[in-house]
Amino acid sequence: MTFSWHAMQIGRALSRLFNALTGGEGDTTTSAYVYWLSLAGKAKLGIPGRAWVVFVDFVLRDPGHCRDAYHWHLERRLFQDDL
């Protein structure tokens, strides 16, 4: 395992922690959750999901990151039924 693999695991863990601390599921990354919020027309911390998607994609310099994370979670059935 390389440094980049460890860095990615830490990033995912921090994303899940932030998501849980701000009202999302602990098993779901912030990226996937905010994309779901954008589809549902909901907000996180009073900020619309769509704005979060734009922000996260910009910070990660990866357009479509949140969409891809959402679909990754869907394929693996990682979302809870209460979303």
Side-chain angles (χ1 to χ4, degrees), residues 38-57:
S38 74
L39 293 176
K42 297 185 177 187
K44 181 180 191 83
L45 302 178
I47 300 169
R50 182 69 192 128
W52 278 107
V53 169
V54 170
F55 175 75
V56 171
D57 284 353

Side-chain angles (χ1 to χ4, degrees), residues 12-73:
R12 286 179 182 162
L14 291 174
S15 178
R16 288 181 177 121
L17 177 62
F18 177 75
N19 195 45
L21 289 173
T22 57
E25 299 174 353
D27 291 337
T28 307
T29 62
T30 299
S31 301
Y33 186 66
V34 297
Y35 192 81
W36 176 84
L37 289 174
S38 74
L39 293 176
K42 297 185 177 187
K44 181 180 191 83
L45 302 178
I47 300 169
R50 182 69 192 128
W52 278 107
V53 169
V54 170
F55 175 75
V56 171
D57 284 353
F58 174 78
V59 168
L60 296 177
R61 296 184 180 141
D62 184 6
H65 170 81
C66 292
R67 180 196 63 232
D68 295 344
Y70 172 78
H71 289 290
W72 187 90
H73 280 66

